[in-house]
Amino acid sequence: MRPEKHNSRPEISPPKSTTQLPSAPTHPNGDAIQRIERGSELGWRAQSAVPLAALVALAIHLLFSKSAPVVETHSYTLFFYEIVGVSIVLSIAQRFWMRLRSWMRHMCPILTAAILLLGLWDIVTFGFQLLPMPYFPGPAAVLRNLINDRALLLDSTWHSLALLLSGYTVGVLVGLISGICIGWSTPVRYWGMPLLKVVGPIPATAWIPLAMVVSPSTVVSAAGLIALAVWFPVTMLTASGISNTRASYLDVARTLGAGRAYLIFRVAIPAAVPNIFIGLFMGLGASFLTLVVAESVGVKSGLGWYVSWAQGWAEYGKVYAALIIMAAFFSTIMTLLFKIRDRMLVWQKGVIKW
Amino acid sequence: MVALAEIEASSLGIREVRKSFPVPDDPLRRWPVLDGISFSLAAGELVSLIGPSGCGKSTLLRLIAGLESSDSGELLIGSEKITQPGAERGLVFQDPNLFPWLTVRRNIQAGLVARGVLREKRHEVDDFMRLVGLETFADAYPHHLSGGMAQRVALARALINHPKVLLLDEPLGALDAFTRMRMQDEVLRLWQGRRTTMLLVTHDIDEAIYMSDRIMIMSPRPGRIERTISVALDRPRQRSSPDFLRLRGDILEFVHFAGNASIENKS
Ligand SMILES: Nc1ncnc2c1ncn2[C@@H]1O[C@H](COP(=O)(O)OP(=O)(O)OP(=O)(O)O)[C@@H](O)[C@H]1O
Ligand SMILES: [Mg+2]
């Protein structure tokens, strides 16, 4: 055995190497091109996964709705027909549109999973009623509420948006100014930092009892609370960013003849922008929390109010409908902020994508 | 008279300058870094400063730039005392220290913006970008640049202010041998064109001989100027001419001796 193996090796390897060596540089290339070409077509599996999942979830629903009490589930079944329809349209469109194709390839698994999860939710709640009923309605009931109550939901979203933006804007502006002052000036830091350290960590919502008494209108006090919630992280992170500006950048600017305005606005602040954005994100999270709490306690409008109102009437379908809107609303705003950051920090290496 | 005033204004005088830094562990004691440095640069002179690592070369340049203040002694630019940084003294740092949030073009024009003269002098930005061979990278951000390219941007950024005294802290240290020699010629061309007074810190003895009118050799701990050598070779200099090599041998021998001496002192 052994001598045979030894013999066979040199016999096979020289021709292999001689024939493959010249073609070697082109071969991997060709392979890569082929792979890209093959990858440029969307496989039938990727094309059919989403509509198939929709059909499965639809079948689950129809199966259970036979035995269940009659409820209006027309919109839910229609929803799945729409998914199937849109999938067919998209799989035709993607043949002519590169970017849509790569988007579909990217989104296919997660969308399929989301639809199957809907089916699972349907089984657990509507189907076998494994969870206590008034609190856990099925997806069909939630969708029905979402559609029936759309006017009020839209109005609530609008009110939440107005309140959030006004509070957030004020909080960011004040936070940037105080952060820059604390970060740049030693005396301001001496007097400002203790205040910041003592007052800042108190959750803004803890001020609610006081705010409701002091302010003439609940909306104004809610905006103030949101601003307070945003102000703290923005100030903290801005101040640390400014005071940690690399000394060598300031030195360079000074040897170039820079005055104080240049040092602050063209060196320290740009250098602190990555930090400032961390503060903006933390402030955004805090503002969501404060918004919802303030709306469910005092303000008589907005999504937070809607949720607690619907809960008061034990309309849990509406509660979930509002939660879905909230999720979409908050993550859209978050995504927007990430987009702004990516635009502003193109100079930075390796920024995290949202 | 005018010419004389000009010379006065751009020459640099350093007299008995001392500088110490606090010892990190023991705030009561101070560590002498520069111990009675004296020299002067005539207007338009190009002088090199060589010496072992840690002997205080960068500290000396920072003092002249006005970024640090001396413990005692006098630093004069012309007849004026140096008290703070100013655009008439350019400093190219050991690290390029480009502003990472600005493109190459905006880094180079930073000095014009800082002095508020961008509008009048904007046309010069392109000249300086061409000078350091980076016109195709005008809109690139510093993290896209190689170390040598970054150092060239830093050089252009300091030059755009047309400083009377240019302080160079190993500006060509990060460059490969070929780029380095080309840049040496570029710096020389600039120097001859404008007659800027230049103080060049370098680790490279060849570079010091090739470029400078005089070479000051520093010794460490505490930093002193041990010796000043005039380089009386005609320009452009030949790097392999016998005179060049002889001078190189002398300096090497002296530096070697000084290095040994300082080691002996320590033990
Ligand atoms: N800000 C500072 N605080 C304390 N010590 C300092 C400070 N700056 C410099 N030193 C000390 O002064 C000494 C000289 O430093 P310097 O940077 O001037 O050396 P150098 O000659 O430029 O060295 P190299 O050739 O390595 O750049 C070093 O021992 C350093 O530790
Ligand atoms: Mg140094």
Side-chain angles (χ1 to χ4, degrees):
Chain A
M1 280 300 260
R2 265 189 115 170
E4 253 185 49
K5 250 188 175 174
H6 265 278
N7 280 341
S8 64
R9 244 183 214 160
E11 265 177 25
I12 291 169
S13 55
K16 239 191 178 175
S17 59
T18 45
T19 51
Q20 290 223 327
L21 212 60
S23 66
T26 55
H27 191 68
N29 253 349
D31 205 36
I33 289 165
Q34 270 185 356
R35 211 172 303 138
I36 289 165
E37 274 173 357
R38 225 184 297 131
S40 69
E41 259 171 50
L42 205 59
W44 64 269
R45 266 202 257 186
Q47 289 190 41
S48 58
V50 171
L52 277 182
L55 289 176
V56 168
L58 178 63
I60 291 170
H61 186 72
L62 291 179
L63 203 68
F64 285 121
S65 53
K66 264 186 198 159
S67 55
V70 191
V71 278
E72 197 268 298
T73 59
H74 185 62
S75 50
Y76 189 59
T77 51
L78 203 64
F79 172 62
F80 287 117
Y81 289 132
E82 278 163 12
I83 291 180
V84 174
V86 169
S87 306
I88 291 169
V89 171
L90 286 184
S91 63
I92 294 169
Q94 57 87 19
R95 282 166 199 283
F96 313 104
W97 194 5
M98 252 312 259
R99 290 191 48 190
L100 177 67
R101 196 182 308 148
S102 61
W103 179 82
M104 280 174 74
R105 186 177 299 122
H106 183 70
M107 292 304 287
C108 167
I110 194 85
L111 285 179
T112 308
I115 292 168
L116 290 178
L117 213 59
L118 272 183
L120 188 68
W121 178 13
D122 215 8
I123 293 173
V124 172
T125 55
F126 179 64
F128 292 113
Q129 315 224 330
L130 298 176
L131 297 168
M133 197 36 209
Y135 308 115
F136 296 98
V142 173
L143 185 68
R144 197 178 60 237
N145 278 303
L146 201 58
I147 292 169
N148 289 348
D149 227 8
R150 60 184 180 277
L152 187 54
L153 277 169
L154 195 69
D155 187 59
S156 301
T157 310
W158 171 246
H159 277 99
S160 286
L161 182 67
L163 184 55
L164 183 77
L165 283 191
S166 53
Y168 189 72
T169 312
V170 172
V172 166
L173 287 180
V174 177
L176 284 178
I177 293 169
S178 58
I180 291 165
C181 294
I182 290 174
W184 185 259
S185 149
T186 322
V188 177
R189 178 157 50 237
Y190 177 83
W191 297 107
M193 209 58 184
L195 183 75
L196 191 66
K197 276 185 181 158
V198 171
V199 177
I202 302 173
T205 49
W207 297 100
I208 283 179
L210 190 65
M212 296 296 160
V213 177
V214 168
S215 169
S217 104
T218 49
V219 177
V220 172
S221 63
L225 287 179
I226 293 170
L228 182 67
V230 175
W231 167 79
F232 173 58
V234 172
T235 307
M236 210 62 183
L237 271 293
T238 304
S240 85
I242 297 271
S243 62
N244 288 327
T245 306
R246 262 174 59 180
S248 51
Y249 293 149
L250 296 169
D251 286 348
V252 169
R254 280 160 42 169
T255 60
L256 292 174
R260 198 161 68 151
Y262 189 97
L263 294 181
I264 295 176
F265 291 103
R266 303 239 181 195
V267 182
I269 293 179
V273 164
N275 248 331
I276 291 174
F277 267 101
I278 297 173
L280 291 181
F281 281 110
M282 289 168 64
L284 196 58
S287 74
F288 292 160
L289 179 76
T290 313
L291 173 79
V292 172
V293 174
E295 280 178 345
S296 50
V297 174
V299 184
K300 291 279 175 284
S301 62
L303 289 169
W305 163 80
Y306 184 96
V307 167
S308 61
W309 169 77
Q311 191 237 353
W313 291 100
E315 295 237 38
Y316 283 89
K318 289 184 176 174
V319 170
Y320 289 103
L323 287 179
I324 289 171
I325 299 285
M326 251 188 228
F329 174 54
F330 289 157
S331 77
T332 305
I333 293 178
M334 201 59 120
T335 307
L336 272 176
L337 189 58
F338 267 97
K339 284 260 185 312
I340 295 172
R341 187 202 59 171
D342 289 347
R343 284 292 283 277
M344 286 191 68
L345 291 184
V346 280
W347 53 271
Q348 221 187 14
K349 267 189 281 189
V351 282
I352 314 148
K353 286 263 152 36
W354 174 244
Chain B
M1 280 306 276
V2 176
L4 193 67
E6 190 95 332
I7 288 168
E8 275 284 289
S10 57
S11 61
L12 178 71
I14 312 289
R15 292 193 225 308
E16 283 297 316
V17 164
R18 284 167 214 281
K19 176 73 184 170
S20 60
F21 285 114
V23 177
D25 315 325
D26 185 356
L28 292 178
R29 278 194 326 165
R30 290 180 76 84
W31 173 291
V33 173
L34 297 178
D35 187 32
I37 301 277
S38 298
F39 64 89
S40 64
L41 264 59
E45 209 179 6
L46 200 170
V47 175
S48 287
L49 186 63
I50 61 175
S53 184
C55 70
K57 305 182 296 292
S58 297
T59 306
L60 182 57
L61 292 199
R62 288 177 63 83
L63 282 167
I64 299 169
L67 295 170
E68 311 258 2
S69 51
S70 60
D71 299 348
S72 67
E74 258 190 339
L75 294 113
L76 297 168
I77 185 123
S79 52
E80 260 180 76
K81 267 198 174 178
I82 294 171
T83 53
Q84 58 175 17
E88 83 285 354
R89 279 158 288 141
L91 173 55
V92 179
F93 288 74
Q94 207 161 352
D95 297 323
N97 282 321
L98 300 180
F99 300 130
W101 54 87
L102 296 181
T103 59
V104 165
R105 171 186 291 278
R106 284 170 183 276
N107 262 289
I108 291 176
Q109 68 190 23
L112 302 181
V113 176
R115 293 187 299 135
V117 295
L118 179 64
R119 199 181 294 255
E120 305 94 86
K121 305 251 174 121
R122 191 190 288 277
H123 59 276
E124 291 188 10
V125 179
D126 286 314
D127 300 341
F128 280 96
M129 261 181 328
R130 216 168 303 122
L131 175 77
V132 291
L134 284 166
E135 58 274 43
T136 52
F137 284 86
D139 297 318
Y141 282 95
H143 75 258
H144 289 303
L145 303 181
S146 72
M149 288 156 84
Q151 196 56 275
R152 273 141 66 196
V153 177
L155 193 61
R157 182 172 63 174
L159 287 170
I160 203 156
N161 275 344
H162 300 289
K164 285 180 182 158
V165 176
L166 186 60
L167 309 163
L168 301 154
D169 197 349
E170 292 182 49
L172 312 180
L175 304 183
D176 64 281
F178 299 104
T179 319
R180 191 179 177 120
M181 286 197 270
R182 221 197 71 223
M183 287 301 292
Q184 285 170 359
D185 287 328
E186 288 296 344
V187 173
L188 280 178
R189 208 168 52 80
L190 271 167
W191 169 70
Q192 280 160 341
R194 289 169 215 283
R195 283 284 154 183
T196 310
T197 311
M198 289 193 188
L199 182 56
L200 170 72
V201 167
T202 176
H203 274 144
D204 181 348
I205 293 172
D206 283 9
E207 183 170 284
I209 301 171
Y210 183 72
M211 303 204 36
S212 40
D213 298 324
R214 282 186 295 148
I215 301 173
M216 300 191 291
I217 304 174
M218 271 181 86
S219 69
R221 274 173 244 121
R224 287 202 189 94
I225 291 179
E226 216 45 54
R227 202 174 144 184
T228 303
I229 297 166
S230 290
V231 186
L233 303 175
D234 293 334
R235 296 174 191 272
R237 291 173 181 162
Q238 300 301 315
R239 291 173 203 266
S240 50
S241 74
D243 289 339
F244 193 105
L245 293 176
R246 191 170 328 112
L247 192 56
R248 186 171 183 272
D250 287 352
I251 294 174
L252 270 175
E253 198 178 333
F254 180 79
V255 168
H256 191 221
F257 168 76
N260 278 345
S262 75
I263 288 165
E264 275 162 30
N265 282 347
K266 229 179 110 184
S267 56

